């Protein structure tokens, strides 16, 4: 396979230098150019036709979101957003993903060491290179309306738990599923691979869009009907049970499958504590995180769903799960919410 | 850095005069696009990435007013700055154009420096930036 051609767009010369140097050591990745601003970037995109672009969304004298929207309109290609770990950075990054970017990376410093960042950058570039992007269209079509269902169907389901795991392309996919859940849905727990602060902004954004309450999980939060908990970036989230009450344990620990939060950690704990009362959903993303955990869930009697290849931005994690025999139903993204409800 | 410019005017002579003025102003222009009226301009924007639009007002088929209104409804290109270049001298008409989202108005005949000043403003640049396009590596962290 030929090298992945990468263009780095960042106003900071230091960041351009660090990224270029770090990536030069990665097999299969080649930085073909860097650009300090969007105009230069555009010229280089047209001339050099890169496979992946990393874009600093907070650059002076320009609106990164506007640039990204235009980019996705005229030259659609996989874009990784590089952003600061500030609340503003988190919000912008989320907007960027809604505008068509496939991945988010936090700038080195703060919660991540340079070592973690290196690995993540290379992983994300490989994931992005496989991502399917198309000319970006505005979201919120009519088919995004929440699924309607008789509330009586859910009255006997308070002991159920819905566990969802996703990575590349997952923020939009998770959004599509959660926005369709009715307020009577059993408790939902979500791991979406994302840096800290981005998960905060993500949960806030979803909370504004969904009929269910969406909250970034804190240690000890109860898993309740009508509520979705999002694992905070840089922490694992585990399902626990105390009597009849489900709650989550949010804690640090070694990365699993290069990830923290890891879907496997969530799914393993769901298999252990919810068994046949759980529904596991594995969605778009590179790698194999979640496959093993979903397999355990299925063995414990849980119903399991994987997003289908055609609707995945990257068909990696669901593919691995299917390969392991962990998946009961393969469903396109728009059908996942309904399938979950059918399984209740 | 190179900017892509769209010139909208029903007179091809005027289009080349505007083009010349921009070239003389020292801007690094990547591509020039031309359109004879608002409708043609929207067709250009559909296909090509434009950074700034210079548009006439009185044009057949779709005039500058309708063009500005139509532009607002386009999610991707609605933020593209539009500079009105016109013979229209009535204050209230110019005010109306600015109200519709035009970034600036230039009345014909104009001097190339006027265009330059407006483009600098549109791109949020000062003269230093233009003359020092390649900042030394490491200076901007």
């Amino acid at each position: 396979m030929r090298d992945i051609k990468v263009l780095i767009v960042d106003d900071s010369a230091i960041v351009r230098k660090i990224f270029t140097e770090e990536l030069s050591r990665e097999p299969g990745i080649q930085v073909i150019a860097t650009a300090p601003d969007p105009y230069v970037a555009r010229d280089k995109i047209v001339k050099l036709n890169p496979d992946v672009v990393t874009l600093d969304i907070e650059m002076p004298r320009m609106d990164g979101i506007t640039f990204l929207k235009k980019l996705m309109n005229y030259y659609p290609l996989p874009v990784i957003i590089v952003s600061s770990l500030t609340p503003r950075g988190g919000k912008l990054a989320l907007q960027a993903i809604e505008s068509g970017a496939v991945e988010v990376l936090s700038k080195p410093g703060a919660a991540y060491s340079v070592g973690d960042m290196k690995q993540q950058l290379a992983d994300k570039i490989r994931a992005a290179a496989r991502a399917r992007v198309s000319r970006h269209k505005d979201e919120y079509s009519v088919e995004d309306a929440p699924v309607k269902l008789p509330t009586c169907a859910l009255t006997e389901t308070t002991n159920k738990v819905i566990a969802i795991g996703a990575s590349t392309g997952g923020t939009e996919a998770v959004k599509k599923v959660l926005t369709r859940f009715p307020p009577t849905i059993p408790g939902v727990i979500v791991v979406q691979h994302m840096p800290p602060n981005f998960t905060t902004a993500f949960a806030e954004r979803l909370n504004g869009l969904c009929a269910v309450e969406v909250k970034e999980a804190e240690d000890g939060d109860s898993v309740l009907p009508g509520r979705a908990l999002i694992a905070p970036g840089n922490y694992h989230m585990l399902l626990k049970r105390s009597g009849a009450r489900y709650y989550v344990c949010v804690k640090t620990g070694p990365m699993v499958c290069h990830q923290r939060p890891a879907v496997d950690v969530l799914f393993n704990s769901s298999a252990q504590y919810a068994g046949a009362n759980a529904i596991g959903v594995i969605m778009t993303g590179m790698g194999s995180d979640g496959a093993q955990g979903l397999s355990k869930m299925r063995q414990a009697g849980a119903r399991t769903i994987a997003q289908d290849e055609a609707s995945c931005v990257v068909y990696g994690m669901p593919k691995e799960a299917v390969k392991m025999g962990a998946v009961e139903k393969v469903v396109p993204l728009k059908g996942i919410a309904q399938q979950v409800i059918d399984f209740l | 850095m190179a900017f892509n410019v769209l010139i909208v005017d029903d007179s091809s002579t005027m289009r080349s005069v505007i083009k010349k003025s921009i070239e003389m102003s020292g801007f690094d222009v990547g591509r020039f696009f031309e359109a004879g009226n608002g409708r043609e301009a929207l067709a250009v924007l559909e296909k090509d990435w434009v950074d700034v639009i210079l548009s006439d007002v009185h044009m057949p088929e779709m005039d500058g007013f309708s063009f500005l209104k139509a532009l607002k409804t386009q999610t991707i290109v609605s933020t593209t700055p539009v500079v009105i270049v016109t013979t229209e001298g009535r204050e209230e008409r110019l005010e109306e154009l600015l109200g519709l989202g035009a970034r600036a108005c230039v009345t014909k005949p104009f001097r190339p420096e006027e265009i330059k000043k407006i483009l600098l403003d549109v791109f949020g640049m000062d003269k230093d930036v233009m003359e020092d396009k390649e900042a030394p590596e490491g200076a901007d962290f």
Side-chain angles (χ1 to χ4, degrees), chain A residues 33-256:
Chain A
T34 67
D37 73 60
Y39 299 106
V40 174
R42 194 235 339 257
D43 294 347
K44 294 194 172 173
I45 287 164
V46 173
K47 255 182 241 152
L48 305 170
N49 200 17
D51 300 309
V52 176
V53 171
T54 75
L55 172 67
D56 179 2
I57 202 77
E58 296 165 284
M59 294 204 272
R61 283 203 308 264
M62 74 120 185
D63 174 358
I65 299 291
T66 300
F67 171 69
L68 179 68
K69 279 186 182 163
K70 287 192 164 185
L71 187 62
M72 295 315 291
N73 186 58
Y74 297 109
Y75 309 104
L77 83 175
V79 175
I80 298 172
I81 295 303
V82 179
S83 175
S84 65
L85 280 166
T86 59
R88 181 173 176 270
K91 285 208 180 77
L92 275 175
L94 219 60
Q95 255 185 309
I97 283 191
E98 287 178 352
S99 307
V102 296
E103 275 282 7
V104 175
L105 183 80
S106 58
K107 273 203 173 162
Y112 287 99
S113 70
V114 175
D116 286 351
M117 190 277 296
K118 240 194 294 189
Q119 187 58 52
Q120 290 203 11
L121 180 60
D123 285 350
K124 286 182 189 224
I125 285 170
R126 291 196 182 96
R130 286 179 44 188
R132 271 184 291 238
V133 292
S134 52
R135 191 166 163 151
H136 191 65
K137 290 184 193 75
D138 263 3
E139 288 291 322
Y140 309 117
S141 53
V142 259
E143 55 158 24
D144 281 342
V147 175
K148 283 207 182 103
L149 78 169
T151 42
C152 59
L154 293 173
T155 49
E156 297 300 313
T157 57
T158 48
N159 60 340
K160 300 262 182 192
V161 176
I162 299 155
I164 299 175
S167 186
T168 310
T171 49
E172 287 305 286
V174 168
K175 182 169 100 185
K176 286 228 164 83
V177 172
L178 292 191
T179 49
R180 285 161 184 225
F181 279 162
T184 47
I185 198 90
V188 182
I189 42 181
V190 181
V191 164
Q192 161 67 43
H193 297 154
M194 253 205 284
N197 257 320
F198 298 132
T199 47
T200 314
F202 182 49
E204 278 171 14
R205 170 93 180 112
L206 287 180
N207 194 41
L209 291 172
C210 297
V212 297
E213 177 201 1
V214 183
K215 178 181 185 299
E216 187 179 38
E218 288 170 88
D219 192 35
D221 275 350
S222 291
V223 177
L224 301 168
R227 175 196 250 191
L229 296 172
I230 311 283
N234 212 24
Y235 291 92
H236 288 305
M237 181 166 79
L238 290 80
L239 180 71
K240 297 270 166 147
R241 181 170 196 158
S242 154
R245 180 180 85 102
Y246 287 116
Y247 67 99
V248 291
C249 169
V250 172
K251 62 176 196 184
T252 186
M255 291 203 179
V256 174

Side-chain angles (χ1 to χ4, degrees), chain A residues 298-310:
Chain A
R298 192 167 189 204
Q299 282 158 25
R303 314 298 298 266
T304 59
I305 300 166
Q307 187 180 347
D308 77 345
E309 181 169 3

Side-chain angles (χ1 to χ4, degrees), chain B residues 32-53:
Chain B
F32 275 111
F33 301 100
E34 295 187 23
N37 60 51
R39 198 173 310 285
E40 286 177 30
L42 289 172
V44 170
L45 291 164
E46 174 71 24
K47 293 199 314 290
D48 291 298
W49 187 331
V50 169
D51 298 308
V52 64
I53 302 165

